């Protein structure tokens, strides 16, 4: 209480006597007094002004944690200032840290605020190096010197970005803002962790911040060596068009023979990391039915009636191997095949469904563009070799035909394909 009274008297001396000044006016005078006393290096009065503002935070006194830290550092109170700074930065760096603190009003850009931040715009490595030199040559504790150096380099590198939803809610996530001081940070952070492993700051630096920065820098170095290396086993989108060759076997071969017409296949693929989801359509196999009730089997082979089968389906693949030029992707899936009728009186339209699919893609990436940065889109041209085998049961679309039961036949497709693909990844 005594400090508060002294501070009020001090503020009245700076601002002139008022009858019944408002709290807002007193707070404004306190901030003016703090600025003036810092300029005059009257640090005893600076301390009184700070204590007065802190004592009235619940009443709306405008003082931000970072302002108090900057004022204390200017006053030479390095250990106290570093303690405030470390706890403030911990909010950004330590995801498990949720302090319960008094609400501090974030002030406008008044003269005190502009004065305290006068040397930090722009905030860059030159400014940070200067601050580090000041602290290293001060009488602060060695532990605080190391902690401050580590955290202020981290301030250049690690920041928070906030994502807001339309309803006003959102979340914050850490990002790498700059890498110029990354190696300095990693060296000092590892030194601090090694020397002061028992501290809470060492724990979150070791468990969260150092791995986050180290992983990012490792990726940057890899990117410089090979700009598309980080693209392997990643997400993307692809379109493939090509041709194929295959045959139909199993029980269905007792009543049919097949030949290739004009084969065509199309595929669309979405990829998330190692997993891909594809949808395909293929045409081109000609199926001719033979009369099984006659004494001598004969085929309906009127070319005018030749029709081709249609197969479509979806597959799920797993990227087993990926490199600059080669990707290997086994897959499983399900599909259906329709074999149109030859317009004869004994056979209706047959279909195979479901087709159970097993196969593999072997992709040759013969051209790709280098992304401008990690995470940027790259394009690639792919030559895809595909093998798949499909198991199913052929069944007529009509239950009976002319009073006769239409039997079911086991059917197996064996197919080899070649496609040209375009990828975004």
């Amino acid at each position: 209480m005594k400090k508060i009274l002294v501070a009020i008297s001090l503020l009245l001396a700076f601002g002139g006597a008022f009858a019944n000044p408002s709290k807002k006016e007193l707070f404004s005078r306190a901030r003016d007094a703090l600025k003036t006393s810092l300029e005059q290096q009257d640090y005893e009065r600076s301390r009184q002004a700070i204590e007065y503002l802190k004592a009235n935070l619940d009443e709306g006194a405008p003082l931000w944690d970072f302002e108090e830290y900057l004022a204390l550092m200017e006053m030479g109170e390095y250990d106290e200032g570093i303690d405030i700074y470390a706890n403030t930065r911990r909010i950004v760096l330590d995801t498990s840290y949720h302090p319960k603190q008094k609400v501090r009003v974030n002030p406008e850009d008044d003269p005190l605020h502009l004065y305290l931040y006068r040397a930090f715009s722009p905030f860059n490595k030159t400014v940070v190096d200067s601050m580090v030199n000041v602290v290293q040559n001060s009488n602060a504790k060695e532990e605080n010197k190391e902690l401050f150096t580590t955290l202020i380099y981290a301030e250049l590198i690690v920041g928070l970005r906030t994502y807001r939803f339309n309803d006003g809610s959102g979340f914050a996530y850490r990002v790498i803002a700059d890498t110029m001081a990354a190696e300095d940070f990693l060296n000092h952070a590892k030194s601090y962790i090694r020397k002061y492993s028992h501290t809470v700051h060492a724990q979150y630096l070791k468990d969260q911040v150092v791995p986050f920065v180290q992983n990012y820098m490792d990726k940057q170095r890899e990117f410089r060596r090979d700009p598309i290396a980080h693209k392997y086993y990643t997400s993307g989108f692809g379109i493939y068009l090509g041709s194929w060759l295959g045959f139909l076997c199993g029980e269905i071969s007792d009543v049919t023979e097949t030949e290739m017409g004009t084969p065509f296949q199309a595929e669309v693929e979405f990829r998330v990391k190692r997993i891909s989801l594809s949808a395909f359509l293929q045409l081109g196999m000609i199926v001719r039915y033979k009369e099984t009730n006659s004494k001598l089997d004969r085929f309906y082979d009127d070319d005018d009636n030749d029709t081709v089968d249609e197969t479509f389906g979806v597959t799920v693949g797993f990227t087993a191997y990926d490199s600059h030029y080669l990707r290997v992707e086994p897959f499983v899936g399900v599909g259906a095949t329709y074999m149109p009728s030859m317009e004869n009186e004994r056979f209706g339209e047959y279909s195979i469904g479901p087709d159970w699919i097993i196969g593999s893609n072997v992709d040759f990436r013969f051209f790709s563009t280098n992304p401008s940065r990690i995470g940027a889109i790259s394009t690639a041209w792919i030559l895809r070799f595909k093998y798949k085998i499909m198991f199913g049961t052929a069944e007529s679309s009509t239950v009976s035909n002319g009073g006769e039961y239409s039997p079911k036949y086991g059917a197996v497709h064996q197919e080899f394909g070649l496609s040209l693909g375009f990828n975004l990844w």
Side-chain angles (χ1 to χ4, degrees):
M1 187 66 182
K2 182 178 179 181
K3 286 185 177 180
I4 295 176
L5 293 175
V6 172
I8 293 175
S9 300
L10 175 67
L11 297 172
L12 290 174
F14 273 105
F18 274 80
N20 300 319
S22 66
K23 288 183 178 180
K24 183 177 181 180
E25 178 64 26
L26 289 174
F27 299 154
S28 177
R29 293 186 200 177
R31 291 181 64 84
D32 290 341
L34 178 54
K35 175 181 177 294
T36 303
S37 61
L38 288 173
E39 291 174 326
Q40 297 175 350
Q41 298 185 2
D42 187 351
Y43 297 142
E44 182 178 353
R45 291 185 176 182
S46 298
R47 171 66 72 175
Q48 291 173 344
I50 290 173
E51 292 299 327
Y52 172 75
L53 289 168
K54 288 175 65 177
N56 286 276
L57 290 176
D58 291 340
E59 301 298 322
L63 183 66
W64 192 23
D65 290 40
F66 231 71
E67 291 183 322
E68 183 183 358
Y69 145 69
L70 292 174
L72 290 171
M73 297 296 279
E74 193 160 328
M75 293 160 58
E77 301 289 345
Y78 297 109
D79 287 323
E80 186 178 353
I82 291 170
D83 184 61
I84 294 174
Y85 175 70
N87 287 324
T88 302
R89 286 301 296 167
R90 188 182 171 194
I91 295 173
V92 175
L93 300 175
D94 184 2
T95 58
S96 66
Y97 183 56
H98 306 287
K100 294 182 179 179
Q101 296 179 330
K102 290 185 177 180
V103 176
R104 297 194 175 197
V105 176
N106 197 355
E108 303 292 336
D109 286 343
D110 63 1
L112 173 63
H113 189 88
L114 296 174
Y115 172 79
L116 291 173
Y117 281 83
R118 66 193 183 280
F120 305 107
S121 181
F123 184 71
N124 53 34
K125 193 171 185 298
T126 301
V127 172
V128 168
D129 288 340
S130 176
M131 296 175 69
V132 167
N133 288 333
V134 169
V135 172
Q136 290 294 337
N137 294 320
S138 72
N139 59 355
K141 297 177 184 177
E142 288 300 318
E143 178 182 337
N144 281 339
K145 290 180 180 180
E146 295 247 15
L147 178 61
F148 177 80
T149 302
T150 298
L151 295 182
I152 200 165
Y153 279 129
E155 188 173 347
L156 280 174
I157 304 164
V158 183
L160 283 183
R161 186 171 296 166
T162 303
Y163 181 84
R164 294 290 181 188
F165 298 103
N166 292 333
D167 61 1
S169 63
F171 61 90
Y173 56 97
R174 287 186 301 203
V175 296
I176 298 294
D178 195 348
T179 59
M180 286 190 62
E183 294 303 329
D184 289 321
F185 163 74
L186 290 171
N187 291 335
H188 285 287
K190 291 173 183 178
S191 174
Y192 178 82
I193 292 168
R194 184 174 62 255
K195 294 178 182 178
Y196 307 102
S197 59
H198 61 284
T199 65
V200 66
H201 296 294
Q203 291 302 311
Y204 69 77
L205 286 169
K206 177 183 177 182
D207 296 339
Q208 299 183 51
V209 189
V210 168
F212 177 62
V213 177
Q214 186 73 65
N215 182 57
Y216 184 88
M217 294 306 297
D218 289 344
K219 289 182 178 179
Q220 293 295 325
R221 283 189 284 269
E222 180 66 24
F223 179 76
R224 289 192 290 271
R225 288 194 297 268
D226 182 357
I228 71 167
H230 71 288
K231 291 291 187 180
Y232 310 146
Y233 306 102
T234 55
S235 305
F237 168 78
I239 298 175
Y240 302 85
L241 299 175
S243 186
W244 62 283
L245 178 66
F247 56 91
L248 184 63
C249 59
E251 294 177 348
I252 191 69
S253 62
D254 294 337
V255 295
T256 64
E257 72 169 9
T258 59
E259 67 178 51
M260 298 305 300
T262 304
F264 167 78
Q265 63 180 5
E267 185 175 9
V268 178
E269 178 182 75
F270 296 90
R271 185 182 306 277
V272 179
K273 296 184 178 180
R274 285 179 178 253
I275 305 300
S276 64
L277 177 64
S278 300
F280 70 88
L281 168 68
Q282 67 183 44
L283 309 169
M285 181 177 286
I286 298 172
V287 180
R288 294 191 178 95
Y289 300 95
K290 63 182 179 179
E291 175 64 75
T292 57
N293 291 336
S294 64
K295 294 181 180 179
L296 295 175
D297 292 344
R298 62 186 179 87
F299 291 90
Y300 290 93
D301 55 2
D302 183 355
D303 290 339
D304 292 336
N305 287 328
D306 278 356
T307 55
V308 298
D309 70 351
E310 303 171 2
T311 301
F312 59 87
V314 294
T315 61
V316 177
F318 176 79
T319 304
Y321 177 79
D322 201 359
S323 67
H324 196 128
Y325 297 107
L326 180 65
R327 180 171 64 205
V328 179
E329 181 185 69
F331 58 82
V332 296
V334 64
T337 300
Y338 292 92
M339 297 180 290
S341 169
M342 293 298 301
E343 295 186 1
N344 62 82
E345 62 182 7
R346 293 195 177 277
F347 291 91
E349 182 176 279
Y350 268 72
S351 63
I352 304 174
D355 277 315
W356 303 107
I357 305 170
I358 300 175
S360 182
N361 296 316
V362 179
D363 296 340
F364 292 91
R365 189 181 292 115
F366 61 88
F367 174 80
S368 61
T369 60
N370 290 332
S372 59
R373 55 177 173 78
I374 290 180
I377 292 177
S378 179
T379 61
W381 288 96
I382 305 288
L383 190 63
R384 167 165 285 186
F385 293 89
K386 179 188 292 287
Y387 167 75
K388 67 174 179 279
I389 183 169
M390 301 189 296
F391 304 89
T393 301
E395 183 177 1
S396 175
S397 58
T398 57
V399 177
S400 64
N401 195 350
E404 297 181 5
Y405 175 71
S406 297
K408 299 179 181 179
Y409 303 97
V412 179
H413 278 100
Q414 297 243 32
E415 298 176 2
F416 302 86
L418 178 64
S419 298
L420 179 64
F422 177 76
N423 280 193
L424 293 176
W425 62 321

